[in-house]
Amino acid sequence: EIVMTQSPATLSVSPGERVTLSCRASQSVSTNLAWYQQKPGQPPRLLIYDASTRATGIPASFRGSGSGTEFTLTISSLQSEDFAIYYCQQYNHWPSLTFGGGTRVEIK
Amino acid sequence: QVQLVESGGGLVKPGGSLRLSCAASGFTFSDHYLTWIRQAPGKGLEWVSYISDSSHYTNFPDSVNGRFTISRDNARNSLYLQMNSLRVEDTAVYYCARDRGENDIIGYFDSWGQGTLVTVSS
């Protein structure tokens, strides 16, 4: 099973700051990686797929990058609505799909 | 717009059974692979099962293989998860989700339901 490791577990930031979240795979997943955002009491929402393609309706402030085993989600200027938990998910090693443990982005 | 609505969750004793349903609307149901993903309280996401568009293919992780069955009724735009031999560690919110691909699997999910809570406790 591919293990996805996200860091840090929690990030305390101020509104307007730039944020960088990391996701590492235990073996290469090529660019078959997605990012999701989850707010309390809500289901996850797809942000990024294929490592760097924004899903429909996702603002340009969200940027995904990386390939192989190292991936990054960058939020260029954090808005109040961006405080949430972010998960990465690999889909390269089908049928085993695995998620990272999540990074919580909280208000500093 | 795409809508997925889960139902059937509740409190069940260890060893018991439960059947979850997911009613879909707003898209061509029979064109998409579908999945169940769960989230234990305060924890991360775990993929639970997958079914192909025509039901020919299903898959489960080891944690539920042999205990859970996934099925779908394309005429009723509905997805199901039959859960048997439930364990305390199966306690979670269960989400149904749509694979973004059409008539093929891609492996990521562009639409999710609101989830239904399953609690396994004596």
Side-chain angles (χ1 to χ4, degrees):
Chain A
E1 178 183 286
I2 307 300
V3 177
M4 307 300 293
T5 302
Q6 292 187 242
S7 60
T10 303
L11 206 50
S12 297
V13 297
S14 300
E17 282 189 16
R18 177 188 176 98
V19 170
T20 301
L21 284 60
S22 176
C23 174
R24 175 176 292 178
S26 60
Q27 58 184 278
S28 176
V29 298
S30 185
T31 55
N32 294 312
L33 184 108
W35 289 94
Y36 300 87
Q37 176 194 67
Q38 187 179 32
K39 298 179 182 179
Q42 296 185 20
R45 176 175 71 144
L46 178 67
L47 295 177
I48 301 285
Y49 60 91
D50 293 346
S52 62
T53 304
R54 282 189 303 277
T56 303
I58 302 304
S61 56
F62 289 88
R63 180 176 175 272
S65 63
S67 66
T69 62
E70 300 284 343
F71 300 89
T72 297
L73 176 68
T74 301
I75 310 172
S76 59
S77 177
L78 208 66
Q79 305 299 304
S80 58
E81 61 268 25
D82 300 331
F83 290 96
I85 300 175
Y86 293 84
Y87 294 96
C88 61
Q89 177 230 331
Q90 68 81 18
Y91 47 96
N92 189 64
H93 293 267
W94 167 255
S96 177
L97 306 173
T98 47
F99 293 87
T103 291
R104 179 187 302 271
V105 178
E106 62 179 29
I107 299 176
K108 191 173 186 178
Chain B
Q1 77 275 20
V2 175
Q3 205 168 15
L4 299 166
V5 180
E6 302 92 339
S7 60
L11 175 63
V12 61
K13 288 182 167 52
S17 298
L18 211 55
R19 188 194 195 209
L20 306 184
S21 300
C22 174
S25 60
F27 67 101
T28 305
F29 184 79
S30 58
D31 280 353
H32 288 266
Y33 283 55
L34 298 166
T35 190
W36 288 96
I37 291 167
R38 68 184 180 184
Q39 186 169 36
K43 302 297 184 182
L45 300 164
E46 179 188 17
W47 160 72
V48 170
S49 61
Y50 226 117
I51 188 167
S52 63
D53 50 0
S54 58
S55 303
H56 286 160
Y57 176 81
T58 62
N59 197 57
F60 306 87
D62 290 343
S63 58
V64 307
N65 196 25
R67 300 188 297 122
F68 289 11
T69 303
I70 188 172
S71 62
R72 63 190 293 165
D73 184 338
N74 286 348
R76 296 178 182 270
N77 288 356
S78 293
L79 174 70
Y80 307 100
L81 185 68
Q82 177 67 42
M83 304 185 295
N84 299 329
S85 303
L86 282 162
R87 304 168 179 167
V88 170
E89 55 265 33
D90 294 320
T91 294
V93 173
Y94 285 73
Y95 297 102
C96 66
R98 184 185 83 163
D99 189 289
R100 187 172 179 269
E102 289 191 9
N103 301 117
D104 196 8
I105 188 167
I106 291 184
Y108 58 87
F109 314 108
D110 64 346
S111 296
W112 297 61
Q114 288 296 314
T116 187
L117 176 62
V118 172
T119 304
V120 185
S121 174
S122 55

